[in-house]
Amino acid sequence: MYPMFIKLVLLFLVFKQSLSYQLDGVIVTLGDHEALQGIKNELIDPYGYLKSWNDSNSGACSGEWVGIKCAQGQVIVIQLPWKGLSGRLSEKIGQLSALRKINFHDNEITGMIPSSIGFLTNLRGVHLFNNKFSGSIPVSIGNSHLLQTLDLSSNSLTGKIPEGVAKSRKLYKLNLSFNSLSGAIPVSLKQSNSLAYLQLHNNNLTGSIPKEIGTLSKLQVLDLSENDLTSDIPISLADLPKLSSFNVSYNNLSGSVPFFLSNKFNSSSFVGNLQLCGFTGSSPCPSLPPSQVLPSSPATEIPKNNSRKLSIKTMLLIASGALLGVLIILCIIWICCMLRKRRNASKEKNGGNVRKVTTAAATGGEKGVAVSGTEVEAGSDMGGKLVHFEGPLVFTADDLLCATAEIMGKSNYGTVYKATLEDGSHVAVKRLREKIAKNLKEFEGEVNGLGKIRHPNLLSLRAYYMGPKGEKLLVFDFMPKGSLASFLHARGPETPIDWPTRLSVAIGTARGLSYLHSNENIIHGNLTAANILLDEQTNAKIADYGLSRLMTTNSNASVVATAGAQGYRAPELAKVKNLTTKTDVYSLGVIMLELLTGKSPGEPMNGMDLPQWVASIVNEEWTNEVFDLELMKDANIGDELLNTLKLALHCVDPSPAARPEVHEVLQQLEKIKPELPVSSGEDGGD
């Protein structure tokens, strides 16, 4: 009897447990149901997305209610972006005690942000950007110690940033940009030691930049531009080890830019501060007297009535420094002109032109057919050797060395300049770092091979120069739209990039990479968005291909490591250093995800890289959250986005064997949008 009784008890317990599993998450609690009804009643829903939010509480947690996700009968996520909602966000949202994520971005909701959000102690993410919220930021909003993301950007918020906004030690993204916030930047931000994203640009913030920001060791993005900040840039910011994006432009800052920042970031990070010096394109910083360099003690403090004398002295130093800079520039120009005149006189005396130019027609070459390098002015007035390849521009070594140069960027290979020649034409010049190139004979053999490569989606090497002291310059076509990285991530909200343009860039990149793999037997090894350049028609041109053939083994290893730091390196390269076609395909997949999401692989994503973050969102069946907001405005491209996303995830598979070859990627991309034209250009196709 007892064994039968035990069996019956066990059967009852199993039935009871299975029944609880069936009901768990289906029947929402009465309190949460009442809160959701209150939220619905204060929102205006012109497209009827909230019709599913009915009076019955049986469907709220069953998946029938749009945008609602539950756990054990309690609402944990409200997800309603891009729904055209207006009206107000009810204070009853504070009754949803288990709520972890609030997402109403890209609607037209007005009124104040509910202060009751501060009651939600389980809150991880608040996404209310691109609405019409007004009033001040609730003081209570930072009460959740689990808060990771707070994005209130692009609203009409006013008042000060609350000190308590950064209470959570897990906060990694804070974006309050494009509002009308005033007052000082809270010093309490130093508490957020997980903060990696701080964006406060386009507000009316005043006061100085807190030196305490320099203690945020995980900070990668700092944008304080277009405010009314004063004083100097704290030298503590130069100690931020992971800082990859920095902008304090268009404030009222003064003094000298700390060397580490001026050396790492270009002038666009600092322009618009009339009294700021020490960065590219600014006025020279004056040599300050010791009393202004060292902290003064009370005994040696300078009396106030001497301030006028000091300011006059400073002004004189600034003026003399600027005059010296002008004189140096004039001397350089004069020397270049004198050398050019001497060269021309020498040519006339010898009865001929030293320059020898071989065109494609003269050598029987055709468009798209590689031609051999032609030496131009070996042993010119400047010394050294210049070799030209096929192309529209012909210039001398003196033309090149006397050109106006502007730094465009730096990499492990060297520094890239925009050079403006005397006739107004532009070329890009890469000055290779010293001691990273192979010996002279090997270098010339390899660079002459690279100069023969021509394809519409590859940046053409037009010439190279070897100076008398061993310096090496590579001359390329100049791409007016810059890199894909800057095209995607350094633009304002008023310059959207549509899907056909993004897909065209992906297809062009795949075509260029396929040509390298199939026709030239070249593995790129450092394919990033920074190495994809765009011409006037936004055609993609892969740069830096084959440069590994010019470099020593040690210098190539550092380039691979850099690619990993930027988020493009295939995971197997952490253990095995051998580059393969599949490591390039991984990098291409990351770039495709970058085009789809609008996110940089270098951005922090809660401890995940870009492929991991995308995969986690897709696994949670919130796939629409992956795509860039700009792309979601077009309802006709949903299938194309999903197909491209699926292909990109295939490319970034952790297993190299599971990834497709690049020609297979190209075939799939061309099927997604077959009517996109082949890139045009003066170079031949494959």
Side-chain angles (χ1 to χ4, degrees):
M1 177 179 177
Y2 286 107
M4 180 61 69
F5 175 75
I6 292 171
K7 286 183 180 179
L8 288 173
V9 171
L10 289 173
L11 285 171
F12 174 75
L13 291 173
V14 169
F15 172 76
K16 182 179 178 183
Q17 186 168 356
S18 67
L19 182 64
S20 69
Y21 284 151
Q22 290 174 12
L23 296 179
D24 187 25
V26 175
I27 304 298
V28 70
T29 63
L30 291 176
D32 280 17
H33 182 264
E34 179 188 342
L36 291 174
Q37 289 296 319
I39 293 169
K40 176 184 176 181
N41 292 338
E42 292 194 38
L43 290 172
I44 299 172
D45 178 25
Y47 303 106
Y49 286 106
L50 304 183
K51 284 182 179 178
S52 59
W53 292 26
N54 52 42
D55 293 334
S56 171
N57 64 347
S58 62
C61 291
S62 66
E64 296 176 10
W65 284 30
V66 172
I68 298 299
K69 188 174 182 180
C70 300
Q72 298 180 345
Q74 288 187 290
V75 177
I76 59 172
V77 173
I78 301 181
Q79 188 101 337
L80 292 168
W82 311 297
K83 297 295 187 288
L85 301 172
S86 56
R88 303 171 71 89
L89 187 56
S90 173
E91 289 282 352
K92 290 193 174 181
I93 198 169
Q95 296 178 20
L96 301 172
S97 58
L99 196 61
R100 300 176 189 174
K101 184 177 182 180
I102 302 171
N103 195 341
F104 284 94
H105 67 75
D106 287 273
N107 285 289
E108 297 182 10
I109 303 173
T110 57
M112 299 183 69
I113 295 173
S115 59
S116 62
I117 287 179
F119 303 152
L120 303 174
T121 55
N122 291 307
L123 204 57
R124 271 82 159 172
V126 179
H127 306 264
L128 301 179
F129 55 91
N130 286 346
N131 277 283
K132 296 181 179 179
F133 286 107
S134 57
S136 58
I137 299 173
V139 175
S140 62
I141 203 166
N143 281 350
S144 172
H145 292 284
L146 301 176
L147 191 65
Q148 298 171 2
T149 300
L150 178 59
D151 194 336
L152 309 179
S153 60
S154 298
N155 281 287
S156 300
L157 300 172
T158 55
K160 296 182 178 181
I161 301 174
E163 286 284 340
V165 78
K167 282 184 180 178
S168 173
R169 292 186 177 274
K170 295 190 175 182
L171 186 67
Y172 76 91
K173 179 178 180 179
L174 177 61
N175 190 349
L176 306 178
S177 57
F178 291 101
N179 282 289
S180 298
L181 299 171
S182 56
I185 299 173
V187 176
S188 60
L189 284 172
K190 67 180 180 180
Q191 301 172 10
S192 304
N193 49 18
S194 295
L195 195 62
Y197 251 72
L198 179 56
Q199 294 172 293
L200 305 178
H201 55 95
N202 292 81
N203 279 289
N204 302 316
L205 300 175
T206 55
S208 58
I209 301 173
K211 65 179 184 300
E212 289 79 5
I213 292 179
T215 64
L216 301 175
S217 59
K218 296 182 180 179
L219 198 64
Q220 296 186 22
V221 175
L222 178 59
D223 194 342
L224 307 177
S225 61
E226 301 200 41
N227 281 287
D228 295 313
L229 299 171
T230 55
S231 192
D232 57 0
I233 300 174
I235 195 168
S236 61
L237 301 188
D239 297 329
L240 294 170
K242 296 186 177 181
L243 193 64
S244 59
S245 177
F246 179 75
N247 197 343
V248 292
S249 62
Y250 298 100
N251 280 282
N252 296 311
L253 300 171
S254 57
S256 175
V257 176
F259 175 75
F260 173 80
L261 297 176
S262 63
N263 191 47
K264 187 173 183 180
F265 302 103
N266 61 33
S267 60
S268 63
S269 297
F270 309 103
V271 295
N273 294 281
L274 298 181
Q275 300 181 62
L276 200 62
C277 62
F279 61 95
T280 304
S282 69
S283 301
C285 290
S287 299
L288 298 177
S291 59
Q292 289 181 267
V293 175
L294 301 174
S296 56
S297 64
T300 61
E301 193 168 359
I302 300 170
K304 291 182 179 179
N305 59 3
N306 281 350
S307 60
R308 176 175 294 273
K309 293 181 181 179
L310 284 174
S311 62
I312 293 173
K313 191 180 296 182
T314 301
M315 290 172 64
L316 289 172
L317 286 167
I318 292 172
S320 60
L323 179 60
L324 180 61
V326 171
L327 288 173
I328 291 172
I329 292 170
L330 290 175
C331 286
I332 292 171
I333 294 173
W334 179 81
I335 291 170
C336 285
C337 291
M338 291 299 294
L339 287 171
R340 188 175 284 118
K341 286 180 181 179
R342 188 191 305 170
R343 180 199 70 210
N344 292 336
S346 176
K347 289 175 183 176
E348 291 175 5
K349 181 178 180 181
N350 293 330
N353 194 332
V354 177
R355 182 169 59 190
K356 172 187 171 188
V357 179
T358 305
T359 63
T363 58
E366 297 177 359
K367 196 172 185 179
V369 179
V371 297
S372 60
T374 302
E375 188 173 312
V376 177
E377 290 193 317
S380 68
D381 292 323
M382 291 294 188
K385 176 180 178 181
L386 176 67
V387 176
H388 270 283
F389 301 105
E390 178 197 14
L393 289 176
V394 177
F395 45 83
T396 67
D398 295 345
D399 293 333
L400 184 63
L401 298 176
C402 287
T404 303
E406 174 187 345
I407 294 179
M408 293 196 296
K410 297 181 179 180
S411 70
N412 282 56
Y413 286 130
T415 304
V416 181
Y417 300 85
K418 174 187 176 182
T420 304
L421 303 176
E422 192 176 38
D423 62 0
S425 57
H426 304 298
V427 291
V429 180
K430 183 183 287 287
R431 183 187 182 95
L432 299 180
R433 287 173 51 214
E434 293 183 14
K435 299 180 181 178
I436 70 165
K438 292 179 176 177
N439 63 55
L440 188 61
K441 184 178 180 181
E442 288 181 300
F443 179 86
E444 286 202 86
E446 296 288 0
V447 77
N448 281 314
L450 295 179
K452 299 174 183 178
I453 298 174
R454 293 292 181 267
H455 184 273
N457 297 113
L458 298 176
L459 186 68
S460 297
L461 176 62
R462 297 302 187 187
Y464 68 92
Y465 171 79
M466 296 185 296
K469 295 183 179 179
E471 60 265 41
K472 296 178 178 66
L473 308 179
L474 304 179
V475 183
F476 300 90
D477 290 329
F478 174 72
M479 295 292 108
K481 288 194 174 180
S483 70
L484 176 60
S486 61
F487 186 66
L488 268 179
H489 308 303
R491 59 195 167 94
E494 71 284 352
T495 54
I497 305 173
D498 60 21
W499 174 238
T501 300
R502 299 187 194 212
L503 185 55
S504 176
V505 169
I507 292 175
T509 304
R511 284 176 180 155
L513 192 60
S514 179
Y515 182 84
L516 286 176
H517 286 185
S518 303
N519 295 61
E520 299 294 340
N521 195 28
I522 289 178
I523 295 169
H524 193 290
N526 190 30
L527 187 66
T528 69
N531 284 333
I532 298 172
L533 305 182
L534 305 173
D535 66 11
E536 286 283 9
Q537 290 75 42
T538 323
N539 295 315
K541 307 267 189 177
I542 299 177
D544 277 11
Y545 58 88
L547 292 193
S548 59
R549 295 184 172 186
L550 308 179
M551 310 304 166
T552 62
T553 304
N554 290 339
S555 60
N556 281 322
S558 66
V559 170
V560 173
T562 301
Q566 294 173 342
Y568 296 92
R569 184 179 66 177
E572 64 268 20
L573 290 177
K575 296 180 180 179
V576 181
K577 302 303 180 184
N578 293 332
L579 297 171
T580 67
T581 57
K582 296 298 184 74
T583 58
D584 273 356
V585 168
Y586 183 91
S587 301
L588 176 61
V590 175
I591 290 166
M592 290 164 62
L593 292 178
E594 197 169 354
L595 289 163
L596 286 165
T597 65
K599 293 181 178 293
S600 169
E603 293 182 21
M605 298 169 195
N606 203 17
M608 296 179 282
D609 60 21
L610 181 56
Q612 291 169 337
W613 177 81
V614 171
S616 70
I617 299 296
V618 172
N619 289 339
E620 290 185 13
E621 299 182 359
W622 295 94
T623 303
N624 282 352
E625 279 291 288
V626 164
F627 301 118
D628 195 335
L629 302 181
E630 293 176 3
L631 302 178
M632 298 306 294
K633 296 174 183 177
D634 187 347
N636 300 318
I637 60 172
D639 289 343
E640 294 178 15
L641 293 178
L642 289 172
N643 289 334
T644 308
L645 176 62
K646 182 179 178 181
L647 179 60
L649 289 173
H650 193 188
C651 293
V652 297
D653 194 292
S655 170
R659 296 173 206 150
E661 292 290 351
V662 68
H663 70 270
E664 297 173 310
V665 179
L666 177 58
Q667 289 172 357
Q668 292 300 315
L669 285 172
E670 290 175 335
K671 286 180 182 177
I672 292 171
K673 200 75 171 179
E675 66 270 23
L676 281 175
V678 177
S679 301
S680 60
E682 54 99 4
D683 296 322
D686 56 320

